[in-house]
Amino acid sequence: MRLNLGRIGAWTALIVFLILTILPFYWMIRTAVTPAADLYTDSTGVLPAHPTMINFWRVLGLVDADAARKAGGSGAQINFLRYTMNSGIYALSIAAVQTFCCAMAGYAFARLRFPGRDLVFGILVAALMVPPIFTLLPNFTLVKNLGLIDTFAGMVAPNLLMTPFAVFFLRQFFLSVPREVEEAAVLDGAGRWGIFWRVVMPMSRGPLLTIALTTAVWAWKDFLWPLLVGRGEQTRVLTVALGVFLQQSPNTQPDWTGLMAASVLSVLPVGALLLLGGKRLVQSLNFTGIK
């Protein structure tokens, strides 16, 4: 049997990249289940010598402050359910509204003809080259002048309707949809909205789910904008809460075990979303025939 050097090299590179990707998650989980007293003395083993769940319990506030301090923590805790709900509202509202609006915009650029269409689309594509940090200050000034600081409306406003990449991505897919399908719908009496909603949208479940998942994951891990706008307890998201938790630790030594436990908990919802949505994504791509 002849060895395929190219295949061996490809598998080797894939395994190396896989290890590099998984290693930070492994180290995060390992630190989360390590007692604070053993963090520096037991850092060479694959698994901690004395694994414990106390770091999770104290972050969630399931133990009192004295027990948390005895476990090596600062006594700080995270209102995990509240901040998870805030992150869910922030991420899912942006993902749902943005995906729908970008689908309408992408279909308009792909199928409708109107004056200045190509020029507007060119400007939209050029917006892909603008770093998001450039729009941070103007967006903050606008939200502040509208009185939307510390509200969910102000948090979701800059990214609620569209992003240039999502419009571009969906427009390219809609161009590949056979026109014969739409012409058949016209013969059945469907209007432009009926074609879009009843014919094109069901055929586009794969790309739509892709945009929705990537948008939800991006919004879930967003930190800077929610930090600027969502300052209060009622609008604070989980990523910002982790930063506040770290600031509540003693200045002499950060509470790494508690922070890693909180980070593991913050990854679980979006990880479950990817696991569930990933299966549906593969099924949708197979349905639409995308390779």
Side-chain angles (χ1 to χ4, degrees), residues 104-112 114 116-118 120-122 124 167 171 175:
M104 291 192 294
Y107 183 75
F109 281 121
R111 287 292 190 260
L112 303 184
F114 53 89
R117 183 190 67 171
D118 294 338
V120 174
F121 184 71
L124 185 73
V167 175
R171 182 250 188 189
L175 287 175

Side-chain angles (χ1 to χ4, degrees), residues 82-83 85-86 150 152 155 231-237:
R82 177 66 188 183
Y83 298 147
M85 183 178 67
N86 291 346
D150 203 18
F152 281 109
M155 292 173 63
R231 301 172 179 175
E233 288 281 333
Q234 300 301 317
T235 55
R236 182 177 295 166
V237 297

Side-chain angles (χ1 to χ4, degrees), residues 14 27 52 69 97 110 116 132 137 168 171 174 206 208 263 283 285:
L14 181 62
W27 200 256
T52 179
R69 293 188 182 95
V97 177
L137 183 58
F168 174 78
R171 182 250 188 189
F174 291 145
L208 292 174
S263 299
Q283 294 174 348
L285 292 178

Side-chain angles (χ1 to χ4, degrees), residues 8-290:
I8 294 175
W11 275 104
T12 302
L14 181 62
I15 293 173
V16 170
F17 283 121
L18 182 62
I19 293 174
L20 293 176
T21 302
I22 295 177
L23 186 60
F25 293 97
Y26 154 74
W27 200 256
M28 179 176 67
I29 296 173
R30 186 193 185 283
T31 304
V33 297
T34 300
D38 298 344
L39 182 61
Y40 297 104
T41 60
D42 180 28
S43 59
T44 58
V46 176
L47 298 175
H50 307 95
T52 179
M53 298 294 290
I54 187 63
N55 299 318
F56 293 95
W57 306 148
R58 62 186 179 86
V59 166
L60 293 173
L62 300 180
V63 297
D64 56 37
D66 292 335
R69 293 188 182 95
K70 289 180 181 179
S74 61
Q77 59 186 9
I78 294 178
N79 191 346
F80 185 77
L81 294 179
R82 177 66 188 183
Y83 298 147
T84 300
M85 183 178 67
N86 291 346
S87 291
I89 294 173
Y90 178 67
L92 296 180
S93 59
I94 290 178
V97 177
Q98 185 184 120
T99 301
F100 180 68
C101 292
C102 289
M104 291 192 294
Y107 183 75
F109 281 121
R111 287 292 190 260
L112 303 184
R113 297 190 178 276
F114 53 89
R117 183 190 67 171
D118 294 338
L119 176 61
V120 174
F121 184 71
I123 296 175
L124 185 73
V125 173
L128 288 170
M129 297 181 289
V130 178
I133 193 67
F134 285 2
T135 61
L136 187 66
L137 183 58
N139 285 336
F140 178 78
T141 303
L142 179 60
V143 169
K144 182 180 179 180
N145 292 337
L146 291 174
L148 297 178
I149 295 294
D150 203 18
T151 64
F152 281 109
M155 292 173 63
V156 303
N159 301 295
L160 184 64
L161 297 181
M162 59 82 67
T163 57
F165 171 77
V167 175
F168 174 78
F169 178 84
L170 293 174
R171 182 250 188 189
Q172 297 307 112
F173 173 79
F174 291 145
L175 287 175
S176 67
V177 175
R179 289 184 177 271
E180 290 79 5
V181 177
E182 299 179 53
E183 293 172 356
V186 172
L187 293 178
D188 289 337
R192 181 59 69 180
W193 173 257
I195 295 173
F196 170 73
W197 182 251
R198 298 170 58 186
V199 178
V200 177
M201 289 288 279
M203 295 179 62
S204 310
R205 286 185 297 177
L208 292 174
L209 186 56
T210 300
I211 292 297
L213 281 177
T214 55
T215 303
V217 171
W218 167 84
W220 182 272
K221 64 184 182 65
D222 191 18
F223 174 77
L224 184 56
W225 179 253
L227 176 65
L228 294 176
V229 180
R231 301 172 179 175
E233 288 281 333
Q234 300 301 317
T235 55
R236 182 177 295 166
V237 297
L238 201 53
T239 51
V240 177
L242 293 180
V244 174
F245 176 82
L246 183 61
Q247 293 173 1
Q248 293 173 343
S249 301
N251 294 329
T252 56
Q253 181 178 344
D255 185 7
W256 293 118
T257 54
L259 182 62
M260 292 301 104
S263 299
V264 171
L265 293 174
S266 70
V267 169
L268 294 180
V270 71
L273 178 64
L274 288 175
L275 288 176
L276 297 176
K279 183 177 180 180
R280 292 291 302 273
L281 175 60
V282 173
Q283 294 174 348
S284 299
L285 292 178
N286 290 335
F287 174 78
T288 54
I290 299 178

